[in-house]
PDB file of all heavy atoms in Angstrom:
ATOM      1  N   LEU A  69     -11.136  27.334   4.583  1.00 92.00           N
ATOM      2  CA  LEU A  69     -12.341  26.541   4.842  1.00 92.00           C
ATOM      3  C   LEU A  69     -11.954  25.306   5.629  1.00 92.00           C
ATOM      4  O   LEU A  69     -11.081  24.543   5.209  1.00 92.00           O
ATOM      5  CB  LEU A  69     -12.995  26.134   3.519  1.00 92.00           C
ATOM      6  CG  LEU A  69     -14.061  25.027   3.570  1.00 92.00           C
ATOM      7  CD1 LEU A  69     -15.253  25.457   4.408  1.00 92.00           C
ATOM      8  CD2 LEU A  69     -14.508  24.646   2.167  1.00 92.00           C
ATOM      9  N   TYR A  70     -12.584  25.130   6.796  1.00 91.00           N
ATOM     10  CA  TYR A  70     -12.368  23.922   7.596  1.00 91.00           C
ATOM     11  C   TYR A  70     -13.668  23.137   7.634  1.00 91.00           C
ATOM     12  O   TYR A  70     -14.706  23.663   8.031  1.00 91.00           O
ATOM     13  CB  TYR A  70     -11.934  24.262   9.026  1.00 91.00           C
ATOM     14  CG  TYR A  70     -11.358  23.057   9.735  1.00 91.00           C
ATOM     15  CD1 TYR A  70      -9.991  22.895   9.862  1.00 91.00           C
ATOM     16  CD2 TYR A  70     -12.187  22.058  10.232  1.00 91.00           C
ATOM     17  CE1 TYR A  70      -9.455  21.772  10.471  1.00 91.00           C
ATOM     18  CE2 TYR A  70     -11.662  20.931  10.836  1.00 91.00           C
ATOM     19  CZ  TYR A  70     -10.298  20.793  10.955  1.00 91.00           C
ATOM     20  OH  TYR A  70      -9.779  19.665  11.549  1.00 91.00           O
ATOM     21  N   TYR A  71     -13.593  21.884   7.212  1.00 89.00           N
ATOM     22  CA  TYR A  71     -14.780  21.031   7.135  1.00 89.00           C
ATOM     23  C   TYR A  71     -14.606  19.817   8.041  1.00 89.00           C
ATOM     24  O   TYR A  71     -13.566  19.158   8.018  1.00 89.00           O
ATOM     25  CB  TYR A  71     -14.971  20.569   5.692  1.00 89.00           C
ATOM     26  CG  TYR A  71     -16.028  19.497   5.490  1.00 89.00           C
ATOM     27  CD1 TYR A  71     -17.281  19.823   4.996  1.00 89.00           C
ATOM     28  CD2 TYR A  71     -15.759  18.158   5.777  1.00 89.00           C
ATOM     29  CE1 TYR A  71     -18.247  18.838   4.796  1.00 89.00           C
ATOM     30  CE2 TYR A  71     -16.721  17.177   5.589  1.00 89.00           C
ATOM     31  CZ  TYR A  71     -17.960  17.517   5.099  1.00 89.00           C
ATOM     32  OH  TYR A  71     -18.903  16.547   4.909  1.00 89.00           O
ATOM     33  N   THR A  72     -15.611  19.524   8.852  1.00 85.00           N
ATOM     34  CA  THR A  72     -15.678  18.245   9.545  1.00 85.00           C
ATOM     35  C   THR A  72     -17.028  17.628   9.240  1.00 85.00           C
ATOM     36  O   THR A  72     -18.045  18.325   9.184  1.00 85.00           O
ATOM     37  CB  THR A  72     -15.538  18.389  11.075  1.00 85.00           C
ATOM     38  OG1 THR A  72     -16.605  19.199  11.578  1.00 85.00           O
ATOM     39  CG2 THR A  72     -14.213  19.014  11.442  1.00 85.00           C
ATOM     40  N   GLY A  73     -17.044  16.347   9.013  1.00 80.00           N
ATOM     41  CA  GLY A  73     -18.307  15.704   8.671  1.00 80.00           C
ATOM     42  C   GLY A  73     -18.156  14.199   8.632  1.00 80.00           C
ATOM     43  O   GLY A  73     -17.287  13.621   9.288  1.00 80.00           O
ATOM     44  N   LEU A  74     -18.995  13.568   7.844  1.00 78.00           N
ATOM     45  CA  LEU A  74     -18.996  12.120   7.692  1.00 78.00           C
ATOM     46  C   LEU A  74     -18.873  11.780   6.213  1.00 78.00           C
ATOM     47  O   LEU A  74     -19.202  12.590   5.347  1.00 78.00           O
ATOM     48  CB  LEU A  74     -20.288  11.523   8.260  1.00 78.00           C
ATOM     49  CG  LEU A  74     -20.593  11.828   9.729  1.00 78.00           C
ATOM     50  CD1 LEU A  74     -21.993  11.342  10.083  1.00 78.00           C
ATOM     51  CD2 LEU A  74     -19.557  11.178  10.640  1.00 78.00           C
ATOM     52  N   ALA A  75     -18.414  10.569   5.935  1.00 77.00           N
ATOM     53  CA  ALA A  75     -18.271  10.153   4.544  1.00 77.00           C
ATOM     54  C   ALA A  75     -18.399   8.642   4.451  1.00 77.00           C
ATOM     55  O   ALA A  75     -18.283   7.922   5.448  1.00 77.00           O
ATOM     56  CB  ALA A  75     -16.919  10.591   3.987  1.00 77.00           C
ATOM     57  N   ASP A  76     -18.658   8.169   3.230  1.00 70.00           N
ATOM     58  CA  ASP A  76     -18.679   6.731   3.007  1.00 70.00           C
ATOM     59  C   ASP A  76     -17.639   6.371   1.954  1.00 70.00           C
ATOM     60  O   ASP A  76     -16.963   7.231   1.392  1.00 70.00           O
ATOM     61  CB  ASP A  76     -20.078   6.249   2.600  1.00 70.00           C
ATOM     62  CG  ASP A  76     -20.581   6.886   1.314  1.00 70.00           C
ATOM     63  OD1 ASP A  76     -19.741   7.282   0.464  1.00 70.00           O
ATOM     64  OD2 ASP A  76     -21.807   6.988   1.144  1.00 70.00           O
ATOM     65  N   GLU A  77     -17.517   5.091   1.681  1.00 67.00           N
ATOM     66  CA  GLU A  77     -16.476   4.615   0.774  1.00 67.00           C
ATOM     67  C   GLU A  77     -16.766   4.946  -0.685  1.00 67.00           C
ATOM     68  O   GLU A  77     -15.920   4.732  -1.548  1.00 67.00           O
ATOM     69  CB  GLU A  77     -16.302   3.105   0.946  1.00 67.00           C
ATOM     70  CG  GLU A  77     -15.799   2.717   2.332  1.00 67.00           C
ATOM     71  CD  GLU A  77     -15.653   1.220   2.508  1.00 67.00           C
ATOM     72  OE1 GLU A  77     -15.953   0.485   1.548  1.00 67.00           O
ATOM     73  OE2 GLU A  77     -15.233   0.787   3.593  1.00 67.00           O
TER      74      GLU A  77
END
Side-chain angles (χ1 to χ4, degrees):
L69 166 63
Y70 195 101
Y71 170 102
T72 61
L74 303 172
D76 60 27
E77 296 179 0

